[in-house]
Amino acid sequence: MPVLGGMRIQDLTTDDLNKLWAKLAKSGRLDGKGGLSSRTIRSLNHLISLVDAQVQGLVGKNVAIGVTLPAATRPDLQFWSAEEVRLFLEGVREDRDYALYYLDPTTSMRRGELLGLKWPRTDMAMGELKIVDTIVPVNHKPTWSVPKTDAGYRTIPLDTRTIEVLRDHRRRQLEERLAFGGEYSDLDLVLPDPKGTMFNPEDQSKRVHRRVSKLGLKQIRFHDLRHTYATLARRSGMDIKDLSVRLATMTSRRR
């Protein structure tokens, strides 16, 4: 808006956009600490795309198509060794959210899938759970969502140890429910906060960061715990097709 807000779209040129993206790449952060990421700039260019304007005949050419965009980059993926995973889980064993920290590197589930998991979708007798709902941050607030692709709707088998962890967590959760009484929000979530309400995914990432720092382990992102699962699974000989289904990177069975 500050740069292009007063301009008619018919007068907009590719050069105007190139200058804007170059400026944002250098000093676009609102906190004044540098430029925006290539991913953000590419998203902004997509947002300003003039496809509809071109279809409606408002412009003869879509100038957003010919812009020079920064190359797409992805953060380097990090992962832990099996020993580092053991040390982490041992270090958070008495943590109230131990079940969350245990499930992430041992089931391949994403952060939002873990936080959106509900007890009715968790069958400990059958030894499996179904991923149907997710919780994502929208404007820094936890919001209900669903998997982005069909592959995201999947069933994950649970081993004996994972079922044991979930049962221990369930007992503790029932104690919290009794303690808070009418203040408890019964959303059927497997991994809510002590009062039963949904966790903010961003806050949980910060919690993991603090716990990892306290334990003196190599700092990795919450998402990298999922990557750790994939790396260790491949090293243990898991079939790549089975792993792809587990990670929801290819089509798997629906709910």
Side-chain angles (χ1 to χ4, degrees), residues 21-110:
W21 303 148
K23 177 181 179 180
L24 294 180
K26 184 177 181 180
S27 58
R29 288 176 59 101
L30 293 178
D31 59 10
K33 296 181 179 180
L36 299 180
S37 69
S38 60
R39 178 181 179 181
T40 300
I41 292 174
R42 295 173 76 88
S43 295
L44 287 172
N45 189 72
H46 178 73
L47 179 66
I48 207 172
S49 174
L50 304 177
V51 173
D52 288 343
Q54 188 175 21
V55 170
Q56 295 172 22
L58 299 177
V59 296
K61 176 184 177 182
N62 186 351
V63 297
I65 293 178
V67 300
T68 302
L69 294 172
T73 58
R74 298 183 63 183
D76 293 335
L77 294 176
Q78 302 288 331
F79 62 91
W80 277 338
S81 65
E83 175 63 10
E84 287 173 313
V85 172
R86 185 191 69 79
L87 290 172
F88 172 69
L89 293 179
E90 186 178 277
V92 298
R93 182 66 185 86
E94 300 303 319
D95 195 294
R96 185 257 172 199
D97 296 323
Y98 175 70
L100 171 64
Y101 305 142
Y102 182 88
L103 286 170
D104 199 13
T106 60
T107 65
S108 78
M109 293 171 66
R110 296 179 173 87

Side-chain angles (χ1 to χ4, degrees), residues 2 12 102 104 119-120 142 164 186 213 217-218 242 252:
L12 188 66
Y102 182 88
D104 199 13
W119 286 115
E164 180 184 336
D186 192 2
S213 297
L217 295 171
K218 177 174 66 179
D242 292 339
S252 60

Side-chain angles (χ1 to χ4, degrees), residues 8-9 44 67 100 107 123 130 135 137 165 169 173 206 208 231 242:
R8 298 170 69 247
I9 60 172
L44 287 172
V67 300
L100 171 64
T107 65
D123 192 332
K130 297 182 184 296
I135 292 176
V165 169
H169 176 73
Q173 190 179 62
K206 294 175 183 177
V208 170
T231 302
D242 292 339

Side-chain angles (χ1 to χ4, degrees), residues 190-210:
V190 174
L191 300 164
D193 70 10
K195 288 189 175 182
T197 57
M198 63 177 71
F199 267 124
N200 187 323
E202 295 172 340
D203 290 342
Q204 271 300 349
S205 290
K206 294 175 183 177
R207 287 168 181 254
V208 170
H209 177 84
R210 289 195 295 268

Side-chain angles (χ1 to χ4, degrees), residues 115-245:
L115 298 180
L117 181 63
K118 294 185 176 182
W119 286 115
R121 301 290 185 176
T122 307
D123 192 332
M124 288 183 278
M126 290 291 293
E128 63 180 30
L129 60 82
K130 297 182 184 296
I131 296 176
V132 177
D133 305 291
T134 67
I135 292 176
V136 298
V138 176
N139 293 326
H140 306 295
K141 295 182 179 180
T143 305
W144 283 110
S145 185
V146 295
K148 294 181 179 179
T149 65
D150 283 351
Y153 294 92
R154 63 198 189 281
T155 299
I156 291 182
L158 304 174
D159 59 31
T160 303
R161 172 56 181 156
T162 303
I163 293 173
E164 180 184 336
V165 169
L166 283 170
R167 283 178 173 158
D168 286 343
H169 176 73
R170 181 62 166 162
R171 282 192 289 270
R172 181 181 298 181
Q173 190 179 62
L174 290 174
E175 291 174 357
E176 291 175 342
R177 182 174 182 173
L178 288 173
F180 285 104
E183 296 181 26
Y184 192 86
S185 299
D186 192 2
L187 300 178
D188 272 337
L189 288 171
V190 174
L191 300 164
D193 70 10
K195 288 189 175 182
T197 57
M198 63 177 71
F199 267 124
N200 187 323
E202 295 172 340
D203 290 342
Q204 271 300 349
S205 290
K206 294 175 183 177
R207 287 168 181 254
V208 170
H209 177 84
R210 289 195 295 268
R211 282 155 178 74
V212 171
S213 297
K214 186 176 180 179
L215 293 170
L217 295 171
K218 177 174 66 179
Q219 192 63 244
I220 63 176
R221 300 173 303 155
F222 201 113
H223 181 73
D224 289 331
L225 293 174
R226 170 179 156 85
H227 182 59
T228 292
Y229 172 90
T231 302
L232 296 179
R234 283 296 293 148
R235 288 181 177 178
S236 69
M238 179 181 281
D239 180 77
I240 188 66
K241 183 177 180 180
D242 292 339
L243 179 60
S244 295
V245 171

